[in-house]
Amino acid sequence: MIAPSILSADFARLADEAAAVAGSDWLHVDVMDAHFVPNLTLGLPVVESLLKATDIPLDCHLMIENPGRWAPPYAEAGAYNVTIHAEATDDPISVARDIRAAGAKAGLSVKPGTPIEPYLEILKEFDTLLVMSVEPGFGGQSFIPDVLSKARAVRKLVDSGELTLIVEIDGGINTDTVEAAAEAGVDCFVAGSAVYGAADPAEAVRKLRAQAAAVSPHLTLAV
Ligand SMILES: O=C(CO)[C@@H](O)[C@H](O)COP(=O)(O)O
Ligand SMILES: [Fe+2]
């Protein structure tokens, strides 16, 4: 799956920018509050408008403090997947339950320096694990390959049937890095600058998907 990140899109033309990546699996929406990360992007009103403007399922990545207060409204609004940061809450389980009760998939994200081991036990409460492969806050940064060990560890648990989870990666994904992530067992690839910086964003999505599918060890169907 490929999820273009609208962080690299033109915010004054979001409906057109969503249409430019028609055929994507998810549209990734980076919500930043200038507290959890040193950047400010968009919030619920923009997500509500985007939901009316596109049929692509919205994958909301909340880089915010107090996700227990702010995450469920994204699910109620109709986001497909709502991801919170492990570092932003002491009670990720109850936030996941609230997101699911409000009708969305629940995601857990970990920053590059956050180990996954302490969270393995609670991953059954989540539908997606978003492995950050850059420090959250900005698009256009370089991929950090060390984080792939986390994707590999969780992939093993999914393949052995211990977990049912989509493994997602976010940050620095492009034609040079997507294969390494796919080989590590990632299912869903977020790409901002590699898609919206391309002359033809839809073609960039198709190319990334084909590259990933060609090397994904766990894929049995050609995409
Ligand atoms: O969450 C984030 C950044 O914090 C990402 O979703 C970026 O938007 C990815 O951008 P690229 O690294 O693909 O340019
Ligand atoms: Fe993101």
Side-chain angles (χ1 to χ4, degrees):
M1 296 166 59
I2 306 295
S5 170
I6 58 161
L7 184 61
S8 296
D10 179 348
F11 275 25
R13 300 173 44 254
L14 283 181
D16 293 341
E17 295 283 63
V21 295
S24 298
D25 301 280
W26 291 350
L27 194 61
H28 185 84
V29 181
D30 286 315
V31 175
M32 304 186 191
D33 67 353
H35 288 269
F36 180 73
V37 287
N39 196 5
L40 183 67
T41 53
L42 52 85
L44 190 58
V46 175
V47 168
E48 287 169 338
S49 294
L50 252 182
L51 283 163
K52 289 184 222 148
T54 182
D55 291 334
I56 307 174
L58 297 192
D59 175 34
C60 294
H61 175 194
L62 306 187
M63 287 161 273
I64 60 172
E65 289 181 352
N66 197 3
R69 162 70 180 85
W70 299 109
Y74 287 84
E76 282 154 24
Y80 184 77
N81 184 55
V82 179
T83 292
I84 60 161
H85 264 269
E87 306 85 358
T89 174
D90 293 333
D91 193 0
I93 294 178
S94 70
V95 187
R97 289 181 180 168
D98 288 348
I99 291 170
R100 283 174 158 180
K105 308 269 184 214
L108 186 72
S109 183
V110 283
K111 293 193 208 181
T114 302
I116 195 63
E117 289 74 16
Y119 298 101
L120 292 177
E121 272 300 308
I122 66 159
L123 282 180
K124 57 183 177 301
E125 302 279 345
F126 289 87
D127 304 286
T128 60
L129 170 71
L130 180 64
V131 176
M132 287 306 299
S133 39
V134 298
E135 284 304 325
F138 299 92
Q141 304 180 74
S142 296
F143 183 72
I144 301 170
D146 287 358
V147 306
L148 291 180
S149 57
K150 292 186 241 185
R152 276 188 214 100
V154 174
R155 175 88 252 148
K156 257 193 200 159
L157 298 174
V158 173
D159 286 346
S160 68
E162 284 165 74
L163 276 178
T164 306
L165 195 77
I166 289 174
V167 183
E168 189 177 4
I169 198 156
D170 185 8
I173 292 294
N174 55 40
T175 52
D176 294 330
T177 57
V178 70
E179 287 169 358
E183 279 164 358
V186 169
D187 301 293
C188 181
F189 305 83
V190 176
S193 46
V195 169
Y196 283 107
D200 181 345
E203 177 58 22
V205 169
R206 285 191 289 271
K207 205 170 163 196
L208 287 171
R209 189 188 279 132
Q211 266 189 283
V215 300
S216 287
H218 61 290
L219 273 191
T220 51
L221 291 175
V223 179

